[in-house]
Amino acid sequence: MNVFVINSGSSSIKYQLISMPEEKVICSGMVDRIGLEGSRVEYRSFLKEEPVEFTRNMPVSDHSAGLKEVAKLLVDSEIGVITNPNQVEVVGHRVVHGGEKFASTQLISEEIKAKIKELFPLAPLHNPANYLGIEVAEHIFSKAKQVAVFDTAFHQTQPPVAFRMAIPNEFYEKHGIRAYGFHGTSHKYVSERARDYLGTKGNRIVSIHLGNGCSMAAIRDGKSIDTSMGFGPMNGLVMGTRAGDIDQSVIFHLVQELGYSLQDVFQILNKKSGMLGLTGFSDMRDIQKKYNEGEKEAKLAYHLYAYRIKKYIGSFAAVLNGLDAIIFTGGVGENDRLTRQLVCQGMDYLGIELDEEKNAGPKQPVQEIQSENSGVKLLVIPTNEELEIAKQSFQLLK
């Protein structure tokens, strides 16, 4: 079964064509800066011994134009991987917010699309783009079954003590205000990899997804029981441009005393805070360069970033009543050994002890970086949300 996976963002489309159940990636790529200057289409095919890579800088006015360009590349006589769009049997879509309506992967129908639209207010930056990707794919891959995989679904196993907020009940009962959690597709993928690797020794796991967006999940017996993100994807850890946890009174102070509008505050906390607000940079590679040069703002930011992660490890260890493994994943979690080093410092009380040499070692499918004396496995596992979407789509339809 050929599963075409679409991860549609507000100005980008990431995609992979995966043959299931072999889990063989046939091609992958992205359309970047949609509707903006400098837009481009990237494409890589893996049918030959050496990957074929193609990049075209071109105007991409909207998501429809971007996906149409990708469809042309898929069937291109020289670098294409199929002869007809109808050879795509399933299109798997990442949908960020499923609310309480969706606790599992869904075959998309008009009814499902209507429910996804109802959830726009809960994820205004993400769900509309995800929905647009569905509508465009229905037109281009008209013979394929369309499947929605929800980022929030993995966290629907959390108990009410984890997801309820201590505000009047009517806000939950009438308006669905509660913690939902995000990055569920990533947390599910890497935690299952860890459990396969560890066997029965992997029942209490903390998964740490660190990228531009960051979140953590406490996972017991393969099920999410708590997570750092909440009602929206701004809560919890310090992120690239998001503040993470913040005292609510700061928001009232910004509005009532400093004269900012609520929209101003939203932009500040979502787009201008986090590592960007602390250092002027949102990319950890830039910040690490400044850190190594001794810049005090970069040092504070790195330590604050790690400190917040350590606090969540402690709280999740309490919730899980112990730890078997900690997973680092995402672009930063997989590649930034300084972050892993700072997070693991001074955690011997919990049985966490890093091996510096292993931490600096080469990447592996599952990389152990703990010392021989560590009571907790420390694992670096590359995430693959697109493969997880393909797996869930295949399992739904096989």
Side-chain angles (χ1 to χ4, degrees):
M1 181 185 290
N2 285 332
V3 181
F4 188 64
V5 178
I6 295 177
N7 184 345
S8 182
S10 58
S11 62
S12 67
I13 302 168
K14 296 178 184 177
Y15 65 88
Q16 287 190 23
L17 181 62
I18 302 175
S19 178
M20 297 295 294
E22 307 93 323
E23 299 183 4
K24 180 182 178 183
V25 178
I26 299 172
C27 76
S28 68
M30 72 180 298
V31 185
D32 199 17
R33 298 184 60 81
I34 295 172
L36 304 171
E37 288 187 15
S39 52
R40 67 182 185 273
V41 178
E42 298 176 3
Y43 172 87
R44 292 176 298 278
S45 70
F46 304 97
L47 288 184
K48 299 177 181 179
E49 289 185 10
E50 293 293 326
V52 176
E53 299 191 6
F54 171 89
T55 300
R56 176 181 293 164
N57 295 308
M58 58 177 293
V60 181
S61 58
D62 54 29
H63 287 67
S64 179
L67 266 183
K68 285 177 181 176
E69 194 62 32
V70 172
K72 288 180 186 176
L73 291 170
L74 291 176
V75 300
D76 185 89
S77 59
E78 293 184 4
I79 61 174
V81 292
I82 57 177
T83 58
N84 189 300
N86 292 340
Q87 289 177 264
V88 172
E89 298 158 86
V90 180
V91 181
H93 298 268
R94 177 194 180 213
V95 180
V96 166
H97 213 308
E100 288 190 319
K101 297 178 186 292
F102 301 113
S104 61
T105 300
Q106 299 289 319
L107 182 64
I108 295 172
S109 63
E110 290 303 316
E111 180 184 0
I112 297 297
K113 286 167 62 178
K115 289 180 179 178
I116 292 172
K117 286 189 76 172
E118 289 174 12
L119 295 167
F120 279 11
L122 296 184
L125 299 179
H126 298 90
N127 269 35
N130 303 152
Y131 183 89
L132 182 58
I134 292 170
E135 294 228 300
V136 173
E138 285 178 330
H139 176 71
I140 294 175
F141 304 103
S142 57
K143 301 294 184 182
K145 291 181 170 64
Q146 308 284 330
V147 173
V149 177
F150 299 90
D151 265 6
T152 49
F154 180 62
H155 299 302
Q156 286 296 298
T157 53
Q158 292 181 24
V161 292
F163 71 72
R164 286 294 300 272
M165 299 178 180
I167 57 178
N169 288 332
E170 63 181 292
F171 290 108
Y172 170 65
E173 294 164 354
K174 294 182 180 179
H175 307 291
I177 297 177
R178 49 157 286 184
Y180 289 99
F182 300 88
H183 293 142
T185 307
S186 176
H187 289 302
K188 184 176 189 295
Y189 177 81
V190 296
S191 63
E192 287 180 351
R193 289 289 309 278
R195 295 187 76 215
D196 289 343
Y197 180 79
L198 297 171
T200 57
K201 297 179 180 178
N203 294 325
R204 298 171 300 177
I205 292 172
V206 169
S207 173
I208 309 173
H209 178 107
L210 303 176
N212 190 49
C214 303
S215 70
M216 293 173 59
I219 301 165
R220 181 190 291 128
D221 299 327
K223 295 181 179 180
S224 173
I225 62 167
D226 205 344
T227 188
S228 60
M229 283 182 170
F231 179 68
M234 293 171 60
N235 207 49
L237 304 179
V238 177
M239 308 181 214
T241 64
R242 300 176 213 163
D245 289 341
I246 190 168
D247 180 351
Q248 304 95 311
S249 60
V250 172
I251 297 172
F252 298 114
H253 185 79
L254 290 171
V255 173
Q256 296 171 353
E257 302 298 328
L258 301 185
Y260 289 93
S261 69
L262 285 175
Q263 184 59 34
D264 290 337
V265 174
F266 177 84
Q267 289 296 321
I268 290 168
L269 298 182
N270 196 45
K271 298 290 187 182
K272 300 178 181 179
S273 295
M275 300 301 273
L276 178 65
L278 291 169
T279 70
F281 301 95
S282 62
D283 191 311
M284 292 294 276
R285 291 167 294 190
D286 295 325
I287 301 166
Q288 185 172 142
K289 183 173 182 292
K290 296 295 183 181
Y291 181 99
N292 293 333
E293 293 170 356
E295 188 174 288
K296 64 178 183 178
E297 288 86 358
K299 285 187 172 290
L300 171 62
Y302 248 102
H303 284 273
L304 195 159
Y305 184 88
Y307 183 81
R308 186 74 60 84
I309 295 169
K310 292 169 76 161
K311 286 176 70 174
Y312 270 97
I313 290 174
S315 64
F316 285 173
V319 167
L320 292 166
N321 193 23
L323 286 175
D324 296 315
I326 292 173
I327 303 167
F328 292 92
T329 193
V332 176
E334 295 165 27
N335 298 299
D336 191 333
R337 64 175 184 255
L338 175 60
T339 290
R340 299 195 297 259
Q341 176 190 336
L342 294 176
V343 167
C344 295
Q345 281 178 355
M347 299 282 276
D348 50 295
Y349 178 78
L350 290 175
I352 297 168
E353 189 174 311
L354 184 76
D355 184 302
E356 296 287 358
E357 188 174 335
K358 291 179 182 176
N359 187 43
K363 279 188 175 184
Q364 300 172 35
V366 177
Q367 179 183 359
E368 292 194 34
I369 59 172
Q370 78 281 351
S371 72
E372 291 183 2
N373 298 323
S374 181
V376 178
K377 292 286 189 181
L378 303 176
L379 308 177
V380 182
I381 303 178
T383 193
N384 192 332
E385 292 171 290
E386 286 78 17
L387 177 57
E388 181 61 33
I389 291 169
K391 288 168 64 176
Q392 291 189 41
S393 300
F394 176 75
Q395 288 165 3
L396 180 69
L397 297 172
K398 68 178 180 179

